[in-house]
Amino acid sequence: MAACTGSPAPPPTGSGGTPAGTAPVPQVEERLDLQLDIPWAAVFLPNGTGIISERESTRLKAVRDGKATDLGKVPGVVPGGEGGLLGLALSPQFAADHYLYAYLTAKDDNRVVRLTVEDNGSGSFRLGEPEPVFTGIPKAGTHNGGRIRFGPDGFLYVGTGDAQRREQAQDPNALGGKILRITADGRPAPGNPFGNAVYSLGHRNVQGLAWDSSGRLWASEFGPDVDDELNLILPGANYGWPAVTGAPRRAEFQDAKVVWPATGESSPSGLEIVGDTAYLGALRGRRLWAVPLAGTEAGNPVAYFTGQYGRIRDVILAPTGRLWLLSNNENPDFALVLRLAE
């Protein structure tokens, strides 16, 4: 059942005035009991095979025909706390280069690596050795960020956390508390606002990245004990952490488009946008949020599956047009396949 919340006063609120409940309604089509161990992210290969990262085991799993097989560990990952094998992104030229990008916690930093994934033709895959692409992102027990995704412009966007060093988030020369924009080879993307890899600043812990139908970038972000956020990301914009959270209406900072004052209702992780609806997995909130988008504004969030399937770490659009949800810390974890009913 869907529960509508949000208005100009009660939490959570969207700023666009779009009527709640206009988004396509997600309905569970299938539960895949894949025996996963703290999955963090997933991507789909051109042939429809899903590739899932497991944070603490540091393994990649392949899912085909509803069954998971082990592709092996990614070398060099040092899991601990919120760190480990985190975000995944598929190269836009995967058919030619076979590159899978991964955000991981290493001995001294968080970093982006790439490795080849090749289908042996018999239902099995061969992993290449990871190659560092972008290194030096600060690490800590918490606030490691970890979401990566190629944008419509062909550049790789990287969500980082402040790594418990709050002052980094306001420093345009530091990598913590940022969204980064880099080339496929790890160089700062042309046109970045500060002349380095930084695209936006003032973030606490970015967890989801997605683009709407007009190519606008949105991001989900953990608040501290208040004010989880869905943000519209603008190049060079400052999102306020640690000076402010949420939508304080201060000219020097960019307000969040949706604010969940009670983090127990959200802690938004993975983000996917289908058409003009944003779907966010909630960890502490143990639900799926659907947020209708209207241009640069967001409407009132609608909650689905509250408390039914545990913590939701990631939301991914599959080639079939279905949404996949990854559970988290359910021992073992599973995937839900959703269809969107108009």
Side-chain angles (χ1 to χ4, degrees):
M1 297 292 292
C4 295
T5 55
S7 68
T13 58
S15 59
T18 303
T22 60
V25 177
Q27 299 178 347
V28 176
E29 185 172 89
E30 187 177 8
R31 172 173 167 155
L32 302 179
D33 289 310
L34 302 174
Q35 304 297 303
L36 300 171
D37 180 12
I38 311 182
W40 212 92
V43 294
F44 285 89
L45 302 183
N47 66 5
T49 299
I51 304 293
I52 297 175
S53 61
E54 293 184 337
R55 186 184 72 196
E56 293 186 9
S57 77
T58 75
R59 293 184 175 277
L60 292 172
K61 300 290 179 68
V63 180
R64 180 181 285 175
D65 298 326
K67 298 180 180 179
T69 57
D70 186 12
L71 299 184
K73 286 190 172 186
V74 176
V77 185
V78 181
E82 294 176 359
L85 181 58
L86 303 177
L88 301 176
L90 207 64
S91 166
Q93 286 79 43
F94 182 84
D97 60 31
H98 302 286
Y99 279 138
L100 174 69
Y101 288 73
Y103 185 112
L104 59 84
T105 307
K107 179 176 180 293
D108 298 315
D109 63 1
N110 286 302
R111 55 181 53 192
V112 177
V113 304
R114 65 186 178 190
L115 61 163
T116 56
V117 177
E118 298 192 55
D119 192 336
N120 290 329
S122 58
S124 62
F125 294 85
R126 180 174 63 255
L127 296 180
E129 288 296 314
E131 169 194 358
V133 171
F134 192 90
T135 63
I137 301 168
K139 62 174 281 189
T142 59
H143 304 187
N144 286 293
R147 196 67 62 185
I148 59 175
R149 198 158 189 179
F150 278 96
D153 56 8
F155 296 119
L156 183 65
Y157 290 74
V158 181
T160 75
D162 69 5
Q164 301 177 354
R165 297 190 284 278
R166 295 182 172 195
E167 71 283 355
Q168 291 189 104
Q170 289 295 317
D171 181 356
N173 294 308
L175 299 177
K178 305 294 188 300
I179 293 176
L180 311 177
R181 178 175 174 260
I182 60 177
T183 69
D185 294 324
R187 297 185 300 275
N192 280 358
F194 303 104
N196 56 15
V198 174
Y199 190 71
S200 62
L201 72 161
H203 298 286
R204 182 175 181 266
N205 196 14
V206 176
Q207 293 290 291
L209 300 168
W211 286 261
D212 65 22
S213 62
S214 296
R216 288 176 288 254
L217 173 61
W218 298 75
S220 57
E221 182 166 346
F222 288 161
D225 53 352
V226 295
D227 292 352
D228 290 327
E229 300 174 352
L230 175 64
N231 287 300
L232 174 65
I233 303 301
L234 304 175
N238 188 332
Y239 290 81
W241 178 255
V244 299
T245 60
R249 293 179 171 82
R250 286 175 52 175
E252 66 269 39
F253 300 126
Q254 190 75 20
D255 282 350
K257 297 298 183 178
V258 177
V259 180
W260 288 268
T263 59
E265 292 184 353
S266 192
S267 297
S269 185
L271 168 66
E272 186 65 276
I273 298 177
V274 182
D276 286 302
T277 301
Y279 295 93
L280 302 90
L283 292 171
R284 290 184 62 194
R286 297 173 179 264
R287 66 198 76 179
L288 176 71
W289 285 105
V291 181
L293 305 178
T296 61
E297 302 300 332
N300 294 325
V302 182
Y304 295 92
F305 316 126
T306 301
Q308 295 183 44
Y309 299 108
R311 293 157 55 91
I312 305 299
R313 171 61 74 179
D314 202 10
V315 186
I316 315 99
L317 181 64
T320 59
R322 300 309 195 239
L323 280 180
W324 281 40
L325 307 186
L326 295 181
S327 76
N328 205 231
N329 298 98
E330 294 303 302
N331 303 313
D333 286 302
F334 53 88
L336 289 178
V337 182
L338 310 181
R339 62 184 179 89
L340 299 177
E342 296 293 339

